[in-house]
Amino acid sequence: MFRPLIRAALPVVLGVLYLACGDSTAPSAQNSSLTVQVYVDVNGDGAFDPGDSPVGGAQIQAVPNGGTSVDLTTGSDGTATVTDVPPGTYTLSLVSGAPAGATLTTATNPVVVAEFFGGALEAEFRFAFEPGGIAGLVYRDDDESGDYDPEFDTPGPGIPVSVQLTATEEVMGETATDEDGAYMFSGLRPGNYTVKFFPPETAEIVGGDRAVTVVADQLADGTVQFTGSLLVDIAEARATDEGKTVTVEGVVTWAPSFSTANYYIQDETGGIGTFDSNNPDLTEGDRIQITGTVGSFRSELQLSPVTLLVPVGTEEVPAPR
């Protein structure tokens, strides 16, 4: 990595020292070389390496504390070098603008010092891309129009979604669709990502996982369609393998006062317990639609974690099953 040199040169003092030692001939000043690198740090590791983007054609000006300024222009490799820099202190500035979607992460005006006896000076202007993101909608295209129409189509709420780097499969975020079937991942470095969806067994994502390219400072579209049904009977949910996600609708038959995280719901086919760490404020008789993962606690079936809860209404409390 290029680092600006900070040692100060004192040519006057050196000349005095030579005279003090009895040498009447002062040494001649020598020019230095100056190399400046301009690049976009794509992987964000703070150094230029394979995969980063050099910035060619960048115009740099090195202004001394006295004398004539030095102008440089980077080549296709993002570097520029001059070899005739007289001794002095130089303040660098990038005359050309930043690459599209990038922001400068190093000093705006780095300073380098050309010593009396010359040397090799190095500096850099390092950029990073502004983060982008992915936003999308999961829905069933009931009117077969090819586009989401909230009047006719069915949103896919409560579906777990994850995003990972395609190259390394590193998971960069996890969420679940909201009650409108929408989701979003922000703060993603530009690059290629895979968006994975985890619908219940009764539904299927059309086309499966999505490959999405994130561009700096923009939201990429990650909208998908599903087929099938998200809502299942509680009896069917009870027969589902543990670890699977289901969506059920039922009436709260018991909501203990000692724990807002625990409650029981039932429909015409059966009942099931839940453990919801979001602590919903529910009372007996509330009809709700929830999406959660089938599991068990002390051998009792339950839905936990709950990724979405949508109130539907209230009704008379049925006899607990």
Side-chain angles (χ1 to χ4, degrees):
M1 180 176 69
F2 288 97
R3 301 181 184 277
L5 301 178
I6 60 174
R7 294 175 301 187
L10 302 174
V12 175
V13 175
L14 288 173
V16 171
L17 289 175
Y18 269 86
L19 291 174
C21 293
D23 190 343
S24 60
T25 304
S28 299
Q30 299 180 25
N31 289 341
S32 296
S33 66
L34 171 61
T35 298
V36 183
Q37 185 171 35
V38 184
Y39 66 98
V40 179
D41 186 15
V42 176
N43 59 14
D45 65 354
F48 182 76
D49 47 31
D52 290 338
S53 298
V55 179
Q59 299 175 354
I60 303 130
Q61 190 172 61
V63 180
N65 52 1
T68 306
S69 62
V70 178
D71 296 323
L72 305 90
T73 301
T74 60
S76 59
D77 63 350
T79 62
T81 300
V82 291
T83 58
D84 55 351
V85 180
T89 300
Y90 292 81
T91 301
L92 276 59
S93 61
L94 188 64
V95 179
S96 54
T103 185
L104 186 64
T105 59
T106 51
T108 304
N109 299 110
V111 175
V112 295
V113 177
E115 296 184 348
F116 184 79
F117 292 112
L121 310 179
E122 297 176 343
E124 70 174 4
F125 290 93
R126 183 176 68 247
F127 291 89
F129 280 128
E130 295 284 356
I134 301 172
L137 188 70
V138 180
Y139 72 99
R140 190 176 62 199
D141 190 18
D142 294 334
D143 64 358
E144 299 182 351
S145 67
D147 296 307
Y148 179 64
D149 187 338
E151 185 177 355
F152 301 104
D153 296 336
T154 301
I159 296 178
V161 188
S162 72
V163 61
Q164 63 184 38
L165 283 168
T166 302
T168 64
E169 298 186 354
E170 177 185 0
V171 176
M172 306 303 294
E174 296 177 317
T175 187
T177 55
D178 63 17
E179 60 186 275
D180 297 318
Y183 73 93
M184 184 173 70
F185 296 103
S186 59
L188 297 177
R189 196 163 55 233
N192 296 320
Y193 292 85
T194 302
V195 182
K196 293 181 172 289
F197 303 89
F198 304 91
E201 292 186 336
T202 54
E204 182 177 348
I205 299 297
V206 177
D209 300 334
R210 281 292 184 272
V212 179
T213 298
V214 173
V215 178
D217 203 26
Q218 295 184 27
L219 280 177
D221 183 25
T223 296
V224 298
Q225 298 177 14
F226 75 90
T227 58
S229 175
L230 299 179
L231 193 65
V232 300
D233 294 335
I234 291 180
E236 187 174 350
R238 294 182 61 90
T240 301
D241 293 337
E242 292 191 20
K244 299 294 185 180
T245 300
V246 296
T247 300
V248 298
E249 183 176 316
V251 179
V252 177
T253 58
W254 187 60
S257 59
F258 61 81
S259 172
T260 57
N262 293 94
Y263 52 94
Y264 287 80
I265 63 172
Q266 73 177 47
D267 62 9
E268 294 78 9
T269 68
I272 194 168
T274 66
F275 181 83
D276 190 350
S277 58
N278 291 322
N279 300 320
D281 185 16
L282 297 174
T283 59
E284 296 174 4
D286 287 340
R287 174 170 283 275
I288 59 174
Q289 186 176 115
I290 65 171
T291 301
T293 301
V294 178
S296 62
F297 179 72
R298 294 181 178 177
S299 301
E300 182 178 2
L301 278 175
Q302 65 175 9
L303 297 180
S304 180
V306 173
T307 56
L308 185 70
L309 186 153
V310 180
V312 176
T314 58
E315 57 187 69
E316 184 178 349
V317 182
R321 301 177 66 90

